[in-house]
């Protein structure tokens, strides 16, 4: 049973194209995230949604638009792809149990822009 | 925002050796996690440890919240321990990641 899943796992596309990455969690969590991991392995938060509502929006170009149709799904749409968008994108969800706030990550989507 | 500093940045070990990885935080955190990113890129949860000590097999972690640091101990390392180890901390629902420690365990 996959807790946090992402599709596709790999995405190769040309500059200027528009693409989407999908994320789903079956953990019953209310909060989900998108992170970007660059070529130096640095992980940086991009967005967070709580129960379909945007709660964290880091300094990300507005070509990136997250969409949460329900609390189990958080998709990432990227317009006019640029070379610098090449990275691994991770989805995560947050489990809250009492005082515990623990994040669980999906397998990642490796995006290559040519 | 909070700064997270990990050390060492790189570590090379022979199989069977022990190691300690460190994470320092610029401010107090309510949430603290250690992750292992394996060579296939998966981020695996190791510990949720905002304070205290936990052990899981050959791995253990200790967080001294009042001094704003956490330590990850790996004993009797195996080649499968290779990868990048991240600590991440924050308050509420936000986590800030350190830059990671790249661990290579040679047979």
């Amino acid at each position: 049973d996959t807790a946090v899943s992402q599709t596709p796992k790999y995405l190769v596309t040309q500059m200027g194209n528009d693409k989407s990455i999908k994320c789903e969690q079956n953990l019953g969590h209310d909060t989900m995230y998108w992170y970007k991991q660059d070529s130096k392995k640095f992980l940086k938060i991009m967005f967070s949604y709580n129960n379909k509502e945007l709660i964290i929006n880091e300094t990300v170009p507005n070509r990136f638009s997250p969409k949460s149709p329900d609390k189990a799904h958080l998709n990432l749409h990227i317009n006019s792809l640029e070379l610098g968008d090449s990275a691994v994108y991770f989805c995560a969800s947050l489990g809250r149990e009492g005082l515990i706030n623990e994040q669980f990550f999906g397998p990642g989507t490796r995006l290559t822009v040519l | 925002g909070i700064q997270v500093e990990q050390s060492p940045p790189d570590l090379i070990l022979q199989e069977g050796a022990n190691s300690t990885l460190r994470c320092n935080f610029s401010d107090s955190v309510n949430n603290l996690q250690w992750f292992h990113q394996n060579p296939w890129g998966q981020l695996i949860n190791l510990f949720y440890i905002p304070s205290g000590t936990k052990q899981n097999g050959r791995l253990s972690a200790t967080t001294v919240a009042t001094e704003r640091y956490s330590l990850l101990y790996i004993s009797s390392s195996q080649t499968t321990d290779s990868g990048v180890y991240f600590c991440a901390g924050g308050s509420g629902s936000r986590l800030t990641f350190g830059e990671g420690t790249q661990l290579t365990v040679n047979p």
Side-chain angles (χ1 to χ4, degrees):
Chain A
D1 287 346
T2 306
V4 184
S5 59
Q6 295 179 227
T7 52
K9 191 164 172 57
Y10 300 96
L11 187 51
V12 181
T13 188
Q14 299 285 334
M15 258 174 47
N17 284 351
D18 303 338
K19 289 292 177 188
S20 291
I21 307 171
K22 296 187 175 185
C23 178
E24 176 180 1
Q25 54 94 4
N26 63 5
L27 297 166
H29 295 165
D30 291 335
T31 304
M32 295 180 71
Y33 305 80
W34 279 108
Y35 287 84
K36 179 180 180 180
Q37 186 173 43
D38 61 23
S39 57
K40 293 185 179 175
K41 301 277 191 181
F42 187 56
L43 270 156
K44 195 168 182 332
I45 190 169
M46 299 173 71
F47 301 103
S48 176
Y49 270 72
N50 179 260
N51 227 344
K52 303 195 294 174
E53 196 172 320
L54 183 66
I55 57 170
I56 296 174
N57 185 351
E58 290 297 290
T59 312
V60 176
N62 57 16
R63 297 182 296 103
F64 290 78
S65 53
K67 290 210 169 27
S68 182
D70 55 62
K71 71 176 193 176
H73 295 84
L74 181 62
N75 304 324
L76 184 65
H77 189 75
I78 316 170
N79 288 329
S80 305
L81 277 155
E82 299 177 357
L83 294 176
D85 298 332
S86 295
V88 181
Y89 292 85
F90 285 95
C91 176
S93 75
L94 177 69
R96 295 182 207 264
E97 198 171 318
L99 294 176
I100 296 174
N101 292 296
E102 185 174 1
Q103 290 190 26
F104 298 86
F105 282 74
T109 295
R110 181 174 294 276
L111 171 65
T112 304
V113 183
L114 303 174
Chain B
I2 193 166
Q3 309 294 317
V4 182
E5 195 178 292
Q6 286 190 245
S7 59
D10 297 278
L11 187 56
I12 300 175
L13 300 174
Q14 285 300 122
E15 209 167 19
N18 302 329
S19 62
T20 301
L21 281 55
R22 186 177 176 110
C23 187
N24 290 331
F25 294 89
S26 61
D27 206 345
S28 300
V29 297
N30 295 327
N31 301 302
L32 197 162
Q33 292 185 241
W34 283 96
F35 298 88
H36 174 215
Q37 187 166 36
N38 64 22
W40 295 271
Q42 284 180 291
L43 275 164
I44 298 160
N45 288 36
L46 296 178
F47 295 102
Y48 174 84
I49 187 165
S51 64
T53 297
K54 288 187 179 178
Q55 178 149 12
N56 185 1
R58 295 179 298 103
L59 300 183
S60 64
T62 294
T63 297
V64 184
T66 52
E67 297 190 22
R68 304 201 296 261
Y69 73 88
S70 185
L71 302 173
L72 178 70
Y73 306 96
I74 305 175
S75 64
S76 305
S77 57
Q78 300 176 357
T79 56
T80 51
D81 295 332
S82 294
V84 183
Y85 289 80
F86 291 102
C87 67
S91 298
S93 57
R94 180 188 289 263
L95 278 182
T96 300
F97 278 75
E99 295 193 0
T101 292
Q102 174 77 56
L103 174 65
T104 304
V105 181
N106 292 322

